[in-house]
Amino acid sequence: LTPRRKASLALTTALTVVLASLLAATLTSRAAIPEEGLEAKWSEGSLDCAGKPGPAIEVHRYDPRTFILRESLCTTFEAPLMYLLVGEQKALLIDTGDVAEPGKVALARTVQELLPGEGSQKLPLLVVHTHRHLDHRAGDGQLRALPGTQVIGYDLESIKQFYNLPDWPRGRARIDLGQRAIDVIPTPGHNETEVTFYDRVSGLVFSGDFLLPGRILVDDIGAYRESAARLINALGDRPVTAFLGGHIEMDAHGKLFEWQSQHHPDERALPMTSADLQGLATALARFNGFYTESGGFTLINSIHILIAIAVAIGAVLIALVWIVVRYARRRRARKAAQAA
Ligand SMILES: [Zn+2]
Ligand SMILES: [Zn+2]
């Protein structure tokens, strides 16, 4: 071979390699889902979900290895968010949504299609939960049926065991996806099984129902306050790109949508900031045990409110009975006096 032919052969080979990898990249990059960052708009649902329900599930791609999934408002008013993080050796799905039936929401198929690799060469998948509420784990059954998939239990014992956190809620754990480490920080308070995930690669924090642009439903205020302090401490001065919660229940002006509304016009964007975490800590410190609005947060303990209402109704009933009994006695006494 002459040096010229050698050069042209090398050039042809290089060109072929480039073209082949470009082709492979287009085939595997799921080009149907553009990269939209975190400000992406979700479908706003509808006032007439029976008439025009729209897509059952939506996917936004944050980067080539980070996907945000959401069951749409017409599928379930909860419209929970789920997150798929892809590492070199494994992928992680955080939460499985509010719908069990694959005919209604094809969650397993959607996730499978997003995973790199083909057929039996698909990346293994680990499925975890932010907490055990049904709207974050109803799709577990679908995922369990996927080959190469491990679904972690949602009860407190399974969580303590899987993450090796015997001193719960103290301590923290780590999930290694291969070139992508995820910190797991216990954050009970909304629910006793809640954990928050911090992705060291993207700087994203997945905060479930612990911190979200919506109602902060408090189950255990003591645990919640401690968890806020624990999370602030665990994140320290690590870079945080955004906090991504489990639902969006506010419009762009911070006004809460009506409870269970399936129509969210002008919905707020998903991401929250470290300042929001500080704001949550302040609001938790001010919480009166029932209902508190502070710094854009609305904190509610619906059990305490229900107990308070029940106590109030009970008190009114007791007072009414007392009045009726007293009236009847006086009447009887008056009659007896008249008869005498
Ligand atoms: Zn919840
Ligand atoms: Zn929830």
Side-chain angles (χ1 to χ4, degrees):
L1 286 175
T2 65
R4 233 180 110 177
R5 284 208 54 186
K6 258 194 196 164
S8 84
L9 197 67
L11 191 67
T12 321
T13 319
L15 270 175
T16 315
V17 168
V18 168
L19 278 175
S21 47
L22 267 178
L23 185 68
T26 17
L27 285 176
T28 54
S29 71
R30 320 286 161 197
I33 305 161
E35 236 165 82
E36 292 152 301
L38 297 171
E39 303 293 323
K41 284 278 169 213
W42 301 92
S43 99
E44 64 173 30
S46 175
L47 288 170
D48 171 28
C49 280
K52 31 182 170 144
I57 184 166
E58 289 173 273
V59 182
H60 286 308
R61 188 167 72 148
Y62 170 67
D63 66 28
R65 300 195 147 240
T66 309
F67 300 89
I68 309 176
L69 298 82
R70 188 185 190 190
E71 282 169 351
S72 48
L73 284 154
C74 276
T75 308
T76 158
F77 73 86
E78 297 279 7
L81 290 133
M82 296 158 273
Y83 301 94
L84 180 66
L85 316 179
V86 178
E88 292 292 330
Q89 273 126 40
K90 215 188 276 183
L92 179 73
L93 178 67
I94 300 174
D95 285 348
T96 65
D98 193 33
V99 178
E101 308 85 347
K104 222 171 142 197
V105 172
L107 177 64
R109 201 189 65 210
T110 306
V111 169
Q112 179 88 341
E113 283 172 4
L114 294 170
L115 289 177
E118 293 305 323
S120 59
Q121 301 300 303
K122 284 278 185 192
L123 213 57
L125 176 67
L126 178 68
V127 180
V128 295
H129 309 95
T130 55
H131 62 298
R132 69 157 178 243
H133 285 159
L134 188 62
D135 54 313
H136 300 265
R137 62 168 170 85
D140 277 15
Q142 284 188 43
L143 272 307
R144 232 176 263 123
L146 274 186
T149 301
Q150 184 188 9
V151 181
I152 305 309
Y154 50 78
D155 58 294
L156 192 53
E157 268 321 299
S158 303
I159 294 163
K160 281 161 71 173
Q161 209 166 46
F162 177 72
Y163 293 123
N164 189 24
L165 291 167
D167 209 13
W168 177 274
R170 273 176 288 277
R172 68 187 87 139
R174 194 192 294 184
I175 301 170
D176 188 6
L177 304 176
Q179 303 298 310
R180 192 167 191 178
I182 314 291
D183 290 314
V184 183
I185 302 126
T187 46
H190 164 73
N191 179 258
E192 63 168 354
T193 64
E194 184 117 26
V195 294
T196 292
F197 302 91
Y198 172 68
D199 174 13
R200 295 189 180 199
V201 172
S202 66
L204 294 172
V205 184
F206 304 96
S207 52
D209 289 2
F210 176 83
L211 173 59
L212 76 166
R215 292 168 185 82
I216 301 293
L217 302 179
V218 178
D219 173 54
D220 179 340
I221 184 62
Y224 221 135
R225 285 174 181 146
E226 280 175 28
S227 292
R230 188 179 307 110
L231 184 57
I232 290 170
N233 181 46
L235 293 172
D237 44 22
R238 285 170 198 275
V240 168
T241 306
F243 290 81
L244 307 179
H247 308 268
I248 308 173
E249 299 173 347
M250 272 179 193
D251 69 14
H253 310 286
K255 189 172 166 290
L256 287 171
F257 291 110
E258 217 170 279
W259 179 239
Q260 303 195 341
S261 166
Q262 293 186 289
H263 187 222
H264 286 190
D266 194 20
E267 192 182 68
R268 181 199 192 283
L270 172 61
M272 298 184 88
T273 64
S274 298
D276 290 320
L277 176 58
Q278 295 289 346
L280 174 66
T282 306
L284 288 167
R286 290 180 184 155
F287 185 50
N288 64 13
F290 299 91
Y291 182 100
T292 300
E293 286 179 24
S294 161
F297 288 97
T298 302
L299 280 61
I300 303 166
N301 184 321
S302 23
I303 300 294
H304 285 183
I305 291 174
L306 282 177
I307 291 172
I309 292 172
V311 166
I313 291 174
V316 167
L317 281 178
I318 289 170
L320 277 176
V321 168
W322 182 74
I323 288 168
V324 168
V325 166
R326 209 173 72 145
Y327 174 75
R329 269 190 195 154
R330 280 199 177 166
R331 233 176 92 138
R332 218 180 303 136
R334 217 180 301 135
K335 276 196 176 161
Q338 277 168 5

